[in-house]
Amino acid sequence: MSSEIIVNAEPFETRIALNENGVAAELYSEREGEQGIVGNIYKGRVTKVLPGMQAAFVDIGLEKAGFLHVNDVDTIESIENYRKFASEHFEEDEDLDFDQSTDEDEGNGYARPNGWGRRNWRGENPKSIEELLKDGQEVLVQISKEPLGTKGSRLTSYITLPGRYVVYMPTINQVGISRRIEDEAERKRLRKLVHQYRQPGAGYIVRTASEGMAVDDIEANMMFLHALWEGIFDNHNNTSAPALVHTNLTLIQRVVRDLFGSSIERMIIDSEIEYERCRDFLTAYYSHLVPKLHHYKRNEPIFDYYGVELEIERALGQRVWLKSGGYIVIDQTEALTTIDVNTGRFVGKRSPEETITQTNLEAVREVVAQLRLRDIGGIIIVDYIDMEREESREKIFNAFKEELSKDRSRTKISKISELGLVEMTRKRVRESLEHVLTDPCPYCEGRGRVKSAATVSYESLREVRRVCVHHQTSQKILVNVHPEVADRLLEEERPHVEELESHLNIQLVIKADPELHIEGFEVIAF
């Protein structure tokens, strides 16, 4: 599978697409003044401890206070005390096989992997939130999830610093190897290497990119992260809360770190300034990738040339057509996302079961592609077309699992139910593409639908009755409505209008106002 990274860097917005076989598979964007904050480290102040939720709100200097759960609290007074304690008490062989935890993205997402660090740095059993934190207390925290909707940022005090080859966790005494590194000899080599250069009591996730890399490269990456952590802690000690003490890498640098590896054929940037910056960054940290970096010099916009703009427009639509003539419908709500599969124009050639199975198989690939491109997270329900045979359901489920294995985000899926439903979750770190690029419709208030002309007609006639109650001497009533509603009142609803005029002994003047929204109307008494 050929893969390339396409970068459209404008002064106001940077957009990056990961193209697989010539089609956009993932999209990342960052706007001037709206840079993502996941990975940023703050010195915060606890504003409220909530024993009932075993959590606390922390002021980090942003518009909304961050949310810190008790499982994400790791309090250390100083790096010197921690190192002294670690060197005296932690054993060198205290490892955790990363296969027992989640996937590699958990470390990349600045969250503590499941089961890691549940005891504090002194080795004590977990305490309650009110024992760990007090109102007004200053804490060092990192953003693990962007603010979503009305919720503030999700915080953790288990700091993680991702590098190209390892993820450094200064206060978690465990070492893990990415489960995507399958060769046992290579796993042993990497584990031994990390132990050789690790800080006492510190934790590391050895990333997939480290497979086959030279000792010097991995050592240099570890030394860089150690120095970075010391600088962060110095800033923490010399700053008053709330304050930002460490800013994450730029979007381009993060993509280079996380995506730009041996599996990527090339990375193309249209901005000469960003091309030079990226080249300097690669020269300093990943010199072997410099030959794969290219500067796009065509006059045609880079996203147009590579077909990314069309994919973005397609990803904002509710309905996505399949090549066979079937389609899927994607509905995102606050609670969950539903995806409905339909045969559409596809009628097949043999049996209905074969037609349905073929449509579902085609939909499997498109569903996963849209989840990745739209970056949809949370609870997802996929409604496949009902299949009678168990072997057909098993075939679709296995195909779905195989396609999801290409997704870097962590997913969990359940078996297909008798109703053809698949329940799944996909790790959510940031807003979906729809939330980033669109706003709720101000007319329908995000419902996606508006009242019909008939409904608004009847509402306006009922409002006439209300107005007449308060203006009993009025002989003439003006009704300003949308042109479609006016046509409805003057034609299909004309008998009802005349009956109302006779009953209330008034004259109704219906006026079409093209500036009104279809749901809006005015009833004025003269």
Side-chain angles (χ1 to χ4, degrees), residues 11 44 87 152 162 189 222 251 305 373 401 411 435 444 454 508 513:
S87 62
R189 181 187 80 91
M222 293 177 68
L251 177 61
Y305 182 78
L373 183 60
K401 277 180 61 177
T411 57
H435 284 88
C444 70
L508 285 181
D513 187 345

Side-chain angles (χ1 to χ4, degrees), residues 478-496:
L478 174 64
V479 182
N480 282 335
V481 289
H482 186 273
E484 287 186 34
V485 180
D487 291 342
R488 177 90 186 187
L489 288 170
L490 294 171
E491 295 175 8
E492 291 96 324
E493 308 302 334
R494 186 65 199 174
H496 298 115

Side-chain angles (χ1 to χ4, degrees), residues 331-339 376-381 428:
D331 281 310
Q332 296 184 55
T333 69
E334 187 172 346
L336 53 82
T337 298
T338 62
I339 303 176
I376 296 173
I379 301 172
I380 301 163
I381 306 295
R428 171 162 46 197

Side-chain angles (χ1 to χ4, degrees), residues 356-405:
I356 289 170
T357 303
Q358 187 175 341
T359 303
N360 283 339
L361 275 175
E362 190 178 2
V364 161
R365 292 186 290 272
E366 191 61 49
V367 165
V368 176
Q370 291 300 317
L371 290 178
R372 293 178 63 193
L373 183 60
R374 300 176 188 230
D375 203 8
I376 296 173
I379 301 172
I380 301 163
I381 306 295
V382 185
D383 183 9
Y384 287 107
I385 307 169
D386 291 345
M387 294 165 286
E388 294 181 359
R389 300 174 188 165
E390 180 61 32
E391 55 266 33
S392 297
R393 289 196 289 268
E394 192 68 24
K395 185 177 183 181
I396 297 303
F397 179 76
N398 291 334
F400 197 32
K401 277 180 61 177
E402 183 178 350
E403 285 296 317
L404 284 172
S405 67

Side-chain angles (χ1 to χ4, degrees), residues 266-280:
R266 58 178 179 164
M267 180 172 180
I268 310 155
I269 304 179
D270 61 356
S271 165
E272 185 173 359
I273 294 175
E274 292 300 334
Y275 166 77
E276 293 296 338
R277 286 177 180 169
C278 187
R279 185 180 179 86
D280 292 341

Side-chain angles (χ1 to χ4, degrees), residues 460-521:
S460 65
L461 294 179
R462 281 191 285 267
E463 183 63 20
V464 168
R465 287 182 177 274
R466 296 189 189 98
V467 169
C468 287
V469 170
H470 292 90
H471 300 82
Q472 296 181 4
T473 60
S474 299
Q475 299 296 311
K476 183 182 293 186
I477 302 291
L478 174 64
V479 182
N480 282 335
V481 289
H482 186 273
E484 287 186 34
V485 180
D487 291 342
R488 177 90 186 187
L489 288 170
L490 294 171
E491 295 175 8
E492 291 96 324
E493 308 302 334
R494 186 65 199 174
H496 298 115
V497 171
E498 292 176 349
E499 181 182 351
L500 189 63
E501 286 179 316
S502 175
H503 178 72
L504 297 175
N505 193 26
I506 59 171
Q507 178 187 357
L508 285 181
V509 179
I510 298 170
K511 180 181 178 183
D513 187 345
E515 294 186 1
L516 279 176
H517 179 255
I518 192 168
E519 291 186 357
F521 58 83

